[in-house]
């Protein structure tokens, strides 16, 4: 069930059956009921001068006059006055039920908020993409009994706005259209459910978490990407996760070009409790990572996470430096690096797909880390990258905390994006 459909049903006003029935009875009786407005209410007050005020009918006129005589320092003793029941004689009142006393100055007790689970947290972090995909679909789907071209076009538009990509969107819509032609789908809600299943199957091929290879010790993970994608931060978070799982981890500060990159990684090492192999700023990146691999082998480390300088995929000279790092590592271990992680910023949309394509062609990327999904409405880029390249998505980043970098789960991701429950 889609959450936005359920909420849309609840928000619809219930039919006023009793009011309609009463209006029909009065109309049959020959009465004309005019809606009361502010102007009409004022006219009624001027036109009903002969009508006895309710204060006199209920004997409240004397009480009102008496309350005006009280001095400022005298507090009147008041009682709750309840209007008489219709069948009771005038002047007979009913004593209200006693209410519990409130201690002066007491503050209301506030319930502690429940801690969000992983699913609820992911759903919250992907709110911008979910709102872009599901906004307006509820009214469109529940207002129709049959599937038509307008509904398919609206779904197509929303997929494109979420940066699912032209080719991927066309593939999804064509699959839905074929099912409609075969009469496999008989309602708009069934159409959305079919879209959900297709999107889950599309991403399931990328659901391959990072696994530490026991036969490769240390397992060398080379982390690459452009400036600002979050490479160094992702290395720190991955190192904390692997260290918490019991692995012996070493970090290599191979980004010797960006100012303060070495210090940033050293700060992460101190926070996590793992050693960092570093040299002075401006040192040769390949040399730093080579020394780190020697140190990791000597210390019996399980994993070596190597940072690299950020570069654009269009900078041929810098891309050649990454190839040099691979050649230098192969001198110590012909199988290294065992994992090449590309860190992508989801907020740049289709540019992330272009980066993944060029880095993959140059280095042979083996896994992806997609960051900043919580600050963008373009989380659909994961579908485009998976559809075109089929690369494993090792982690997704949905926040600043270390636990916000989490292993990718296809079904949970689509559930959060499409508000599926």
């Amino acid at each position: 069930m889609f959450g936005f459909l359920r909420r849309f049903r609840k928000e619809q006003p219930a039919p006023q059956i009793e009011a309609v029935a009463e209006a029909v009875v009065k109309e049959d009786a020959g009465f004309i009921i005019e809606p009361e407005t502010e102007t009409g209410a004022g006219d009624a007050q001027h036109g009903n001068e002969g009508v006895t005020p309710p204060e006199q009918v209920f004997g409240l006129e004397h009480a009102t006059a008496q309350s005006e005589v009280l001095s400022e320092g005298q507090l009147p003793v008041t009682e709750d006055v309840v209007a008489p029941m219709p069948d009771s004689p005038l002047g007979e009142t009913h004593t209200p039920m006693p209410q519990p006393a409130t201690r002066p100055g007491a503050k209301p007790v506030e319930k502690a908020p429940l801690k969000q689970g992983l699913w609820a947290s992911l759903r919250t972090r992907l709110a911008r993409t979910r709102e872009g995909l599901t906004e307006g679909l509820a009214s469109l789907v529940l207002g129709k009994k049959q599937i038509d071209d307008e509904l398919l076009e609206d779904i197509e538009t929303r997929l494109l706005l979420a940066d699912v990509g032209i080719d991927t969107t066309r593939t999804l819509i064509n699959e839905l259209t074929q099912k409609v032609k075969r009469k496999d789908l008989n309602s708009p809600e069934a159409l959305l459910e079919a879209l959900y299943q297709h999107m889950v199957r599309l991403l399931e091929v990328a659901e391959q978490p990072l696994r530490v290879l026991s036969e490769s010790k240390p397992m060398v993970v080379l982390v690459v990407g452009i400036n600002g994608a979050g490479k160094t931060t992702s290395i720190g978070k991955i190192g904390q996760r692997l260290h918490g799982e019991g692995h012996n981890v070493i970090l290599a500060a191979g980004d010797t070009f960006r100012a303060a990159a070495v210090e940033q990684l050293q700060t992460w090492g101190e926070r996590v409790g793992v050693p960092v192999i570093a040299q002075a700023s401006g040192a040769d990146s390949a040399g730093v990572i080579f020394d780190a691999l020697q140190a990791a082998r000597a210390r019996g480390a399980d994993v070596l996470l190597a940072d690299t300088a950020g570069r654009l995929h269009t900078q041929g000279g810098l891309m050649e430096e990454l190839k040099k790092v691979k050649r230098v590592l192969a001198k110590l271990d012909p199988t290294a690096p065992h994992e090449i992680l590309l860190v992508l910023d989801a907020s740049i949309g289709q540019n992330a797909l272009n980066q993944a394509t060029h880095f993959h062609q140059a280095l042979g990327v083996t896994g992806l880390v997609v960051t900043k999904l919580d600050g963008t409405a373009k989380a659909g880029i994961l579908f485009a990258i998976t559809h075109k390249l089929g690369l494993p998505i090792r982690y997704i980043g949905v926040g600043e905390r270390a636990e916000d970098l989490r292993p990718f789960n296809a079904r949970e991701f689509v559930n959060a994006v499409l508000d599926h429950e």
Side-chain angles (χ1 to χ4, degrees), residues 95-240:
T95 304
M97 295 294 294
Q99 299 296 326
T102 302
R103 186 176 60 186
K107 296 182 179 180
V109 179
E110 297 181 358
K111 295 183 179 180
L114 296 177
K115 185 177 181 180
Q116 285 187 330
L118 289 179
W119 150 246
S121 175
L122 181 62
R123 184 181 180 279
T124 302
R125 301 303 175 88
L126 295 177
R128 296 185 63 178
T129 299
R130 180 177 64 256
E131 291 169 359
L133 276 173
T134 62
E135 183 180 2
L137 279 181
S139 58
L140 187 62
V141 169
L142 295 178
K144 293 179 179 293
K145 295 183 178 180
Q146 295 181 348
I147 302 172
D148 55 15
D149 293 339
E150 182 183 0
L151 178 57
L152 289 171
E153 290 177 0
D154 190 78
I155 293 176
E156 180 180 11
T157 300
R158 298 187 183 281
L159 291 175
L160 291 174
L161 291 175
D163 258 345
V164 174
I166 296 177
D167 294 338
T168 310
T169 298
R170 184 180 295 117
T171 300
L172 292 172
I173 296 300
N174 287 342
E175 291 176 350
L176 295 178
T177 303
Q178 294 299 321
K179 285 196 171 187
V180 172
K181 289 181 179 180
R182 295 195 303 264
K183 299 187 182 302
D184 294 337
L185 305 175
N186 53 12
S187 69
E189 293 190 31
L191 178 70
L192 289 183
E193 184 63 30
L195 173 64
Y196 164 77
Q197 297 297 339
H198 283 310
M199 296 177 79
V200 170
R201 285 196 296 269
L202 176 61
L203 286 184
E204 279 179 339
V205 299
E207 187 179 322
Q208 302 177 38
L210 180 66
R211 301 189 183 280
V212 177
L213 304 177
S214 58
E215 62 273 14
S216 301
K217 192 171 182 177
M219 176 182 175
V220 181
V221 180
L222 192 65
V223 184
V224 300
I226 69 169
N227 280 325
K231 295 188 311 302
T232 306
T233 301
S234 297
I235 289 174
K237 293 178 178 179
I238 295 173
Q240 179 171 337

Side-chain angles (χ1 to χ4, degrees), residues 367-386:
L368 301 176
V369 178
V370 186
T371 63
K372 306 180 184 180
L373 285 167
D374 57 318
T376 180
K378 301 179 180 181
I381 190 60
L382 269 68
F383 297 95
I385 294 175
T386 303

